[in-house]
Amino acid sequence: MSAELPKNINVKEPRWDQETMSGRAKHFFTVTDPRNILLTNEQLDNAKKIIHDYRQGSVSPGLTEDELWRAKYIYDSAFHPDTGEKMILIGRMSAQVPMNMTITGCMMTFYKTTPAVILWQWINQSFNAIVNYTNRSGDAPLTVSQLGTAYVSATTGAVATALGLNALTKRVSPLIGRFVPFAAVAAANCINIPLMRQRELKYGIPVTDENDNRLGESTKAAQQAITQVVISRILMAAPGMAIPPFIMNTLEKRAFLKRFPWMNAPIQVGLVGFCLVFATPLCCALFPQKSSILVSRLEPELQEKIRKTNPGVERVYFNKGL
């Protein structure tokens, strides 16, 4: 019966303690579960209804606590936390592992020729642009011009880095050359994410007190949020782009790959996928999703506003985005 389910469960927050790394890791292992991309629109909308009804104090008959949390994570996997809009399928965190393992595996297999570098860096940055826009923080829309600038700049930066490093590594060990795609991805993340979220840097992101009461918008909070996301994204890519090169360098000297060279890409994709299954949620968990900043570090005008209207507040909170 509905009365058996407590009505004071806070489904706005994750199930596990987000002050600890282990709690955040459990949360993101659930959020990034690739099986969520197989859910139908009907299942997503049903989960949304369950969560919205529960927040209004209405409990579906026979609903258990585990089913409620399952609905919450289905809802979180598909709907933006600030805007509430349904996110683009390949931009959702549940699509990160299958999409990234395919793109990264191919980037690391086809990195020796200029056309291949341009093609796969372009595909990667196109995917990154979708992910960065889909998982932006705040509820302010980006213009087509801003989206275009970020996309073109990141793609140009990634291709230039990859081609430049390819030219420099021609005289060194082939193993060193295998790390060129990672350097290009790291450089592109430093360009793409700030540009894709440039409106946040200009106008700020919403900051709240611990009870989720909105206190204003802060560019200082936006800077911290974007820095955290850039670090997480680079580290997320690191295992899948740093470990396979050593393995592939060894395998290519063996008879198996010399006999079946077409297996190079599938093996590379599989190795990257194995690394990403763990790296994606663990790196998302490096920083709390609901991050915080001291009021004393905010813009002077916002500090003054908060101290006048909420004199007891010393720390404010914000969604850092993904």
Side-chain angles (χ1 to χ4, degrees):
M1 294 178 64
S2 60
E4 296 175 0
L5 183 66
K7 293 187 178 181
N8 60 348
I9 299 172
N10 187 2
V11 291
K12 290 184 179 180
E13 299 294 333
R15 187 172 192 175
W16 299 279
D17 181 9
Q18 296 301 285
E19 294 299 315
T20 66
M21 178 68 182
S22 62
R24 294 196 296 271
K26 289 177 183 177
H27 168 70
F28 280 108
F29 267 108
T30 307
V31 169
T32 61
D33 186 342
R35 292 174 297 179
N36 286 338
I37 62 175
L38 301 177
L39 297 171
T40 64
N41 283 328
E42 183 180 354
Q43 289 173 303
L44 296 178
D45 291 336
N46 183 55
K48 181 179 181 179
K49 182 179 184 302
I50 290 173
I51 296 303
H52 281 197
D53 287 350
Y54 186 83
R55 287 174 179 172
Q56 299 300 317
S58 173
V59 181
S60 303
L63 186 70
T64 67
E65 185 172 344
D66 283 340
E67 288 171 342
L68 176 67
W69 282 113
R70 174 60 181 156
K72 180 257 191 313
Y73 276 101
I74 290 175
Y75 174 77
D76 285 354
S77 76
F79 296 90
H80 193 277
D82 289 333
T83 65
E85 66 183 13
K86 188 177 289 183
M87 296 185 285
I88 303 166
L89 180 63
I90 64 171
R92 299 172 191 169
M93 293 310 294
S94 51
Q96 282 286 292
V97 171
M99 291 298 296
N100 269 327
M101 67 183 283
T102 304
I103 296 171
T104 304
C106 289
M107 274 198 301
M108 296 177 67
T109 302
F110 311 110
Y111 67 93
K112 295 181 180 179
T113 67
T114 298
V117 167
I118 293 173
L119 174 65
W120 285 104
Q121 289 296 339
W122 170 69
I123 291 174
N124 186 49
Q125 290 314 312
S126 298
F127 172 62
N128 282 345
I130 293 171
V131 171
N132 293 336
Y133 174 73
T134 303
N135 294 282
R136 68 199 183 281
S137 176
D139 48 17
L142 282 170
T143 65
V144 174
S145 174
Q146 290 169 330
L147 283 171
T149 300
Y151 174 60
V152 171
S153 299
T155 304
T156 303
V159 171
T161 302
L163 293 179
L165 290 175
N166 266 349
L168 291 173
T169 56
K170 283 181 179 178
R171 296 184 180 86
V172 298
S173 164
L175 178 60
I176 302 298
R178 288 183 179 275
F179 289 95
V180 168
F182 174 58
V185 166
N189 274 327
C190 293
I191 298 169
N192 195 331
I193 296 173
L195 282 174
M196 194 61 67
R197 296 174 61 173
Q198 60 187 288
R199 199 179 194 285
E200 298 171 35
L201 291 171
K202 186 175 181 180
Y203 298 107
I205 57 175
V207 293
T208 67
D209 61 18
E210 59 183 4
N211 297 315
D212 290 329
N213 297 309
R214 190 162 174 163
L215 303 175
E217 290 75 37
S218 170
T219 57
K220 294 289 186 183
Q223 291 169 15
Q224 181 172 312
I226 291 169
T227 300
Q228 290 176 345
V229 171
V230 168
I231 293 170
S232 295
R233 289 288 186 85
I234 292 174
L235 293 178
M236 191 187 298
M241 301 188 84
I243 296 172
F246 291 102
I247 298 173
M248 294 305 298
N249 203 54
T250 302
L251 289 178
E252 285 188 354
K253 296 174 183 177
R254 304 291 174 86
F256 178 75
L257 276 185
K258 290 181 179 178
R259 185 177 177 186
F260 303 104
W262 58 270
M263 284 295 294
N264 195 311
I267 292 174
Q268 192 100 251
V269 168
L271 289 171
V272 172
F274 178 78
C275 293
L276 285 175
V277 164
F278 299 96
T280 300
L282 290 175
C283 289
C284 283
L286 284 176
F287 304 101
Q289 188 61 31
K290 186 179 180 180
S291 291
S292 65
I293 185 172
L294 290 170
V295 172
S296 59
R297 292 182 56 198
L298 299 174
E299 302 89 318
E301 59 274 18
L302 184 55
Q303 289 185 41
E304 184 179 352
K305 176 185 174 184
I306 291 173
R307 284 171 180 153
K308 281 183 179 178
T309 57
N310 302 81
V313 174
E314 295 295 329
R315 183 178 289 274
V316 295
Y317 300 85
F318 57 89
N319 171 30
K320 70 175 174 65
L322 290 170

